[in-house]
Amino acid sequence: MTNAKSHKCSCTGNAKKACTINRRQFLFASGATAFTVMVTVPTADGKAEQVPALVSTYPRKKIAKLSDLKQDVPVEFEYPDEGDYAASMLVKTGVECGGGIGKDKDIVAFNLTCTHQGGDLTDTYVAEHKALGPCPLHLSTYDLTRHGILISGQAYQSLPQVLLELDGDDIYAVGMFGLIYGRYDNLIS
């Protein structure tokens, strides 16, 4: 570690005051700069722009039949591939869910790997709360009715949601919403 006093400014008197900055001045200047940049950078029409969600699409994969589903009984499958961290779960929750399909929008699917440190969430579905977890590593728990958002625990990302499509009685997985743990991106290698 270097000694801060060994890097002294060679200026003296009023010149020294002009070439040094204290913490308060630095914070004020950086805050003012950030504010100026945010206010003066215009959008195309002067309004806030929506940022699209990161969604990865894959070939359709049939994962279940609608007529075979029972409320709060998870169906496990692998998606988007057969690789690491591909274990996923489909469930009919009985309540409307974000991204849900079916007549009641209550059928959702999620990756079964905790986004914190890759804990296995298999067999952790809690029907009473429509949640996955707690993770056996650090107790992260996810709300399946709200796109897998974190309820509690150490994770800082929502659980990746498998995008579903209904074709008659067949349920297909068609993409991923969110990054699967342990992968740099959701591209199939």
Side-chain angles (χ1 to χ4, degrees):
M1 189 158 112
T2 60
N3 185 349
K5 293 187 181 201
S6 67
H7 300 288
K8 288 186 178 183
C9 176
S10 62
C11 300
T12 59
N14 287 338
K16 182 166 182 91
K17 287 183 180 179
C19 78
T20 60
I21 186 170
N22 64 30
R23 186 178 306 183
R24 180 178 289 157
Q25 292 168 326
F26 171 78
L27 291 174
F28 179 75
S30 61
T33 302
F35 176 78
T36 302
V37 168
M38 290 171 54
V39 170
T40 60
V41 175
T43 59
D45 59 0
K47 297 179 182 176
E49 295 180 17
Q50 289 185 345
V51 177
L54 296 176
V55 176
S56 298
T57 57
Y58 299 97
R60 289 173 75 189
K61 179 178 180 179
K62 183 177 173 181
I63 55 174
K65 289 196 164 288
L66 180 63
S67 58
D68 292 341
L69 295 181
K70 294 177 177 57
Q71 184 171 322
D72 294 319
V73 177
V75 174
E76 292 182 13
F77 63 97
E78 287 193 353
Y79 191 78
D81 52 29
E82 307 296 318
D84 292 338
Y85 309 111
S88 300
M89 176 203 76
L90 172 79
V91 66
K92 178 177 177 57
T93 64
V95 297
E96 186 172 335
C97 299
I101 63 166
K103 181 180 64 129
D104 299 322
K105 299 187 185 315
D106 63 342
I107 301 166
V108 290
F110 290 89
N111 182 272
L112 286 172
T113 307
C114 180
T115 60
H116 179 233
Q117 287 189 341
D120 184 8
L121 295 171
T122 303
D123 298 327
T124 64
Y125 176 67
V126 181
E128 178 185 1
H129 301 293
K130 311 305 180 201
L132 261 182
C135 172
L137 298 181
H138 299 99
L139 307 178
S140 293
T141 305
Y142 302 89
D143 184 348
L144 302 188
T145 66
R146 298 176 57 210
H147 296 285
I149 194 169
L150 181 71
I151 297 171
S152 66
Q154 300 295 319
Y156 52 89
Q157 291 181 340
S158 296
L159 201 57
Q161 185 168 10
V162 179
L163 301 177
L164 302 173
E165 188 176 276
L166 187 59
D167 187 3
D169 192 42
D170 297 329
I171 299 172
Y172 290 88
V174 296
M176 293 298 299
F177 177 55
L179 182 63
I180 298 171
Y181 176 85
R183 298 185 182 197
Y184 177 73
D185 59 29
N186 282 339
L187 298 177
I188 296 176
S189 52

